[in-house]
Amino acid sequence: MVESGRREVLVGVDLSDSSRRAVRWAALEAAGRRRPLRLVHVLTWPEDEDVQKRLPERNEVVQPLREELRSELDMATEVVRDLAPDVEVRSDLPLGDPAEVLADLAERAELLVLGGPRTADGFGVVGATSAEVLARRAGGPVVVVRGSGDQRSGGPVVVGVDGSRTSERAIGFGYDFASRHDLELVAVHAWSDLPLDPFRRVRSWELPWSEVRGAAEEVLAESVAGWKEHYPDVSVRRAVTPEKPVHALLREAEQASLVVVGSHGRGRVKRAVLGSVSHAVVNRAPRPVAVLPAG
């Protein structure tokens, strides 16, 4: 049994390969955090009354499906025990809307882990849109496991930085992950993503682009300042680039163990942080992506 009051690592489970990779990723992360692990498959049922009238009685459909899914959860539990025998693990099979149920459970969890977006949802946990919705609604960190999900690849932790409080949370999450897994941290700031007005001023004042870059480097330096004291073991590489944030993050993500972004917010450069950026990274990154909410 999971001890009362201990914050869990929560993982959404379905019948997909991406979900199975998410379970393995979550098991190792729960072990690293020394937290219990909770496997959840949310069994959906259509709310539309016209659709329900054309279906058999709910119990006739749900009970056999519950049995099949319970078997899947039992197999996932055994995978966890093989990978991380010291992790306390339990599984649940609630009925409801996956995004609503998981977001509600995530309010009391330390971390929510999901499989990567799928082309069709069926009875699955999430697709691309649902993953983004959960990342915005969960209230805490959400990791979408893309690619192989191998935590032991040795690649760096890549963090998107823009000087906002949201990206500060992302930096803290990235440092913690990098420290526990003995990885390098790459802090990425894309200085081309400034609003149009400052660009007009730069052109009219004929300031050298080196000064604009210098200001961007200052934002990045201030954003990571202080974290070295808490994580002296983490090596940091700063990447300041004139590219668009999505391009910069996806390039750095090629060899990463994890990409960390904020979901939205406003930084010193007065732009919306990682609304469209987080959406693009979650759907296109070749590696697991952690999304930190602004709240």
Side-chain angles (χ1 to χ4, degrees):
M1 291 293 292
V2 175
E3 296 177 22
S4 176
R6 293 188 64 192
R7 290 174 66 82
E8 304 167 322
V9 172
L10 177 69
V11 56
V13 179
D14 58 34
L15 303 179
S16 68
D17 289 339
S18 64
S19 170
R20 297 182 180 103
R21 289 191 290 270
V23 168
R24 292 192 291 270
W25 193 98
L28 294 175
E29 186 64 8
R33 291 172 177 264
R34 298 183 180 180
R35 291 290 186 266
L37 181 65
R38 186 177 183 183
L39 312 176
V40 179
H41 181 103
V42 184
L43 182 57
T44 59
W45 185 259
E47 296 182 358
D48 189 287
E49 292 184 2
D50 290 335
V51 174
Q52 291 186 23
K53 290 177 181 177
R54 294 193 294 270
L55 292 173
E57 288 295 322
R58 187 167 75 174
N59 288 341
E60 295 180 19
V61 176
V62 170
Q63 190 56 38
L65 191 55
R66 276 188 185 278
E67 293 174 2
E68 178 183 353
L69 295 173
R70 175 54 63 186
S71 176
E72 179 74 15
L73 285 171
D74 289 343
M75 287 189 291
T77 298
E78 289 305 312
V79 169
V80 172
R81 288 175 176 156
D82 288 341
L83 280 174
D86 294 332
V87 170
E88 300 172 73
V89 57
R90 70 170 178 172
S91 60
D92 289 314
L93 190 55
L95 187 68
D97 175 79
E100 290 183 4
V101 173
L102 288 173
D104 180 63
L105 293 174
E107 291 291 336
R108 300 178 294 278
E110 183 164 313
L111 179 68
L112 171 61
V113 182
L114 304 171
R118 300 167 59 192
T119 55
D121 284 305
F123 282 99
V125 176
V126 291
T129 302
S130 296
E132 185 182 11
V133 169
L134 276 167
R136 293 179 180 277
R137 290 172 50 185
V142 176
V143 174
V144 179
V145 178
R146 295 184 57 81
S148 67
D150 183 7
Q151 283 185 320
R152 294 161 289 197
S153 66
V157 178
V158 176
V159 184
V161 179
D162 79 333
S164 71
R165 293 185 65 181
T166 306
S167 71
E168 183 179 355
R169 296 184 70 192
I171 293 167
F173 187 96
Y175 260 102
D176 175 71
F177 190 92
S179 178
R180 287 187 291 103
H181 294 272
D182 194 25
L183 301 172
E184 179 188 35
L185 185 139
V186 180
V188 180
H189 178 63
W191 58 279
S192 72
D193 201 30
L194 293 165
L196 294 177
D197 286 348
F199 271 110
R200 292 195 186 101
R201 293 191 188 102
V202 166
R203 285 194 290 269
S204 63
W205 295 339
E206 297 182 352
L207 291 177
W209 285 108
S210 60
E211 292 188 21
V212 180
R213 181 183 179 90
E217 290 175 341
E218 182 181 351
V219 170
L220 185 53
E222 291 181 1
S223 296
V224 300
W227 289 104
K228 190 67 176 176
E229 298 176 10
H230 299 287
Y231 299 96
D233 58 318
V234 176
S235 174
V236 179
R237 175 168 64 87
R238 301 175 187 175
V240 177
T241 172
E243 298 172 276
K244 291 295 184 182
V246 171
H247 297 159
L249 288 168
L250 291 178
R251 187 191 69 250
E252 294 288 351
E254 288 294 331
Q255 304 301 321
S257 291
L258 180 71
V259 183
V260 189
V261 294
S263 59
H264 58 82
R266 289 195 177 276
R268 252 177 42 183
V269 294
K270 305 298 184 185
R271 67 177 176 85
V273 182
L274 305 174
S276 60
V277 174
S278 63
H279 176 85
V281 173
V282 163
N283 284 279
R284 294 167 55 190
R287 307 295 299 158
V289 179
V291 183
L292 276 292

